[in-house]
Structure formats: C-alpha cells, structure tokens
Amino acid sequence: MPEESWTILKLLHWTTDYFKKNKVAEPRTSAEVLLAHLLSEDRLFLYLNYDRPMEATELATFRTFVKRRLEGEPNQYITGMQEFWSLPFRVNPDVLIPRPETEVLLETVLQFLGSPETEVRVLDLGTGSGAIAVALAREFDLIRIVATDSSMAAVKLAQENASLNQVESKIHFVCADMFSAFSHLPRKFSVVATNPPYVSQAEFSKLSREIRDYEPRHALDGGPDGLAAIRHIIEEAPAVLSQGGALIMEMGADQAESVSTLVRDSQRYESYRIIKDYSGLDRVLIAVNK
Ligand SMILES: C[S@@+](CC[C@H](N)C(=O)[O-])C[C@H]1O[C@@H](n2cnc3c(N)ncnc32)[C@H](O)[C@@H]1O
C-alpha cells in the first residue's frame, strides 16, 4: 500500500484490485468487511462516507488485515465475528465458522419440535461456536439445551456466545467426548442435534487453504471415509433419546447412501428421512427413535 493520502473509497478500490490480482475470493466484499471492522462500523457506513480520510494508525492496522487475508486467513477469523441465523457469533481458530447449510439443520429441528407446550430437552453434540444451541435457545421459550464439545476452548467460546445472545440460562455447557457424559442420564432428550466432523481424508486434502490451514482439523476430520463420528452417533444416540425423539444430523452431500445404510443396519430407529439444503444437496438426516 503506497504512502499517500487515502480515503475510504480509494482504499476500497486499491484493496479490491490487490485481492483480485492475488486471487482472494470475493475481493470487494472481503475489502469492505475488513474495512468496516477496522472502523467498528457496518458496510453501509463505508458507502455513506466514501470521502472520509484514513488516519495513519488505521492504515497501519488495515495493512496487517490485508496481509493476513492474502495468506489465506478467513475474514471471520480476522474480524472475530460471523453471523448465523441472523445472530452475532464470536469465532476464532478454535471453532468452525458456522455455515449457512447448518441453518437447514436448525429448520429441521424447529419443524420437528413444532410449538411445544411443555419443556423440551435438546442435546447439541459438538457445539463449536455454540451456533446450533444458541439459535435454538433464541427460538423456544420452553427449552433446556445441553451443549457439548470435546474441545474446552470451543466450550468456552460457545459460553461467550450464549451470553452475547442472552440465552445462557437455557444452555448447560459440558466438555466431553461424544455421549460419554450422558449415557446414564435418567431423563432423555427430545432431539440430538449435531453437525459432526464429516470430511474424509481424500476430501480433506482438496479443501481450500482457507479451510484446511485455518479451521480446526478436529471440527472437520471424519476419519478415512468421513463417517467415523457419524457411525458412532447413529449407534449411540438412541440411548440418550426419548421414545419418538429424533437424531437430527448434518452430513456431507455424498454421504446420504452410507448414512441411510447405517441407520437401517442399526435397527434402532422407527423411520428416517434425508433433507436437502438450499443448493439441492443431501444435507440433513432426521431419524426418529423407536
Ligand atoms: C463441524 S463442527 C460443528 C460446530 C458447530 N456445531 C457448527 O455447526 O458450526 C464439529 C464439532 O464437533 C466437535 N467434536 C469433534 N469430535 C468430537 C467428539 N469426539 N466429541 C465431542 N465433540 C467433538 C469439534 O470440536 C467441533 O466443534
């Protein structure tokens, strides 16, 4: 970035071009998100203040953002924020950045639970940033959620996100491996909602560097065939589900057949269905417990 006087507009043009030349995805959006974050404003502010001069200290910080983005770091880890279900979430490299596909899982849970007249209990397994637990807690008055993750750092951040969205009283956070903390619970869950790691070894090497080098491997890696966690969950979920309760689980677009076979072979479920995401790809399993 040359040493000269800069305005918001000039800086946006320069950064967009620089990102384009260096093959950064969505160059203009990326430049806007980073500049808006730097100024603690929203993107509309930039459009309304194109002629605002940039100060030397602002430029110095912005240069570090541009460098990080060029190295492949996702915008969300630079800004520390991602929106999910129209709610703000803090994110850092300890947690997966919540994805729009996961909103399909949320919609499936909402449909399954309907308008409960008594309290429902939901287990969010592998909560990460807390996206699923927090969004559900915002949707229902009569809900108790247990949100677990094997990563203590993720559990801490999910707790922060529950506070940020004022739902901490509805969610109990636990750091535990899979179902280890719940198999002997006297009360069961109406829903196990989970977005487990489901990327296979072969797919992992093909992921973009933004994902592969920055997002936590334990959030993505589903073992050699991508089904290690999924297999475990399909097998173990019935033990913590109430009768007629549902396992609602996100999966990879090419995993519907394997997942369906695992559900049928387990002989633990009454019925199941695969739901597509907004791109028409198989994305969510709903399997009702016997
Ligand atoms: C794909 S991320 C999903 C995060 C979040 N629920 C979302 O949808 O954005 C999977 C999460 O599962 C957690 N996880 C991986 N293996 C686990 C295990 N054995 N027990 C509990 N959580 C696990 C990871 O730490 C990660 O946070």
Side-chain angles (χ1 to χ4, degrees):
M1 201 179 296
E3 295 289 340
E4 51 187 88
S5 64
W6 292 87
T7 59
I8 282 181
L9 184 61
K10 194 166 154 190
L11 193 56
L12 278 179
H13 280 160
W14 185 88
T15 311
T16 304
D17 280 353
Y18 192 58
F19 281 166
K20 252 187 217 156
K21 274 186 212 131
N22 287 282
K23 306 206 173 353
V24 170
E26 300 183 25
R28 173 78 187 198
T29 309
S30 207
E32 286 181 9
V33 166
L34 293 178
L35 189 49
H37 172 67
L38 175 83
L39 301 174
S40 305
E41 298 285 354
D42 57 19
R43 283 163 66 193
L44 181 64
F45 174 89
L46 306 178
Y47 291 96
L48 300 176
N49 293 276
Y50 272 158
D51 296 331
R52 177 192 181 283
M54 298 293 300
E55 290 169 17
T57 51
E58 291 170 339
L59 285 171
T61 308
F62 193 66
R63 265 188 211 106
T64 66
F65 289 176
V66 169
K67 183 165 174 283
R68 287 167 68 183
R69 186 71 195 101
L70 223 63
E71 284 164 358
E73 187 168 350
N75 270 342
Q76 292 91 335
Y77 289 152
I78 302 174
T79 63
M81 294 302 291
Q82 169 68 4
E83 195 173 278
F84 177 78
W85 203 252
S86 302
L87 297 168
F89 284 86
R90 293 206 179 102
V91 291
N92 66 31
D94 291 322
V95 299
L96 188 92
I97 298 165
R99 303 291 205 272
E101 300 92 274
T102 305
E103 298 198 343
V104 179
L105 182 144
L106 253 298
E107 282 163 7
T108 309
V109 178
L110 254 57
Q111 249 181 20
F112 178 76
L113 291 177
S115 314
E117 283 166 12
T118 53
E119 190 175 89
V120 287
R121 286 166 49 86
V122 174
L123 172 62
D124 170 14
L125 187 78
T127 194
S129 62
I132 295 171
V134 169
L136 284 175
R138 295 283 305 198
E139 287 296 326
F140 294 99
D141 288 333
L142 294 170
I143 196 162
R144 289 267 139 211
I145 300 170
V146 179
T148 73
D149 206 290
S150 50
S151 152
M152 192 60 215
V155 169
K156 281 193 174 146
L157 191 63
Q159 269 169 325
E160 274 184 44
N161 282 322
S163 304
L164 180 68
N165 289 286
Q166 290 111 36
V167 289
E168 64 270 41
S169 63
K170 293 180 179 172
I171 310 174
H172 178 62
F173 289 95
V174 181
C175 183
D177 181 52
M178 285 285 169
F179 297 96
S180 57
F182 312 105
S183 30
H184 304 299
L185 267 193
R187 289 190 61 194
K188 309 268 179 178
F189 297 97
S190 306
V191 169
V192 171
T194 181
N195 174 15
Y198 56 70
V199 179
S200 70
Q201 250 160 30
E203 283 167 342
F204 193 84
S205 55
K206 288 189 235 142
L207 291 174
S208 70
R209 67 179 178 146
E210 269 88 347
I211 302 175
R212 203 185 49 228
D213 296 349
Y214 287 90
E215 300 208 57
R217 186 161 185 148
H218 58 87
L220 298 161
D221 190 345
D225 63 356
L227 295 166
I230 284 180
R231 233 179 242 115
H232 195 97
I233 292 168
I234 290 175
E235 200 54 41
E236 300 292 321
V240 303
L241 278 169
S242 55
Q243 198 183 3
L247 165 63
I248 300 180
M249 179 176 68
E250 186 169 323
M251 68 177 110
D254 58 352
Q255 291 173 334
E257 212 178 303
S258 314
V259 164
S260 302
T261 306
L262 287 169
V263 170
R264 281 195 304 271
D265 288 354
S266 77
Q267 300 185 357
R268 303 291 302 274
Y269 298 91
E270 183 77 47
S271 60
Y272 73 93
R273 208 154 49 89
I274 306 285
I275 292 147
K276 292 190 186 297
D277 64 18
Y278 313 122
S279 314
L281 301 171
D282 292 329
R283 186 61 63 194
V284 171
L285 164 81
I286 173 164
V288 178
N289 194 30
K290 272 187 182 162

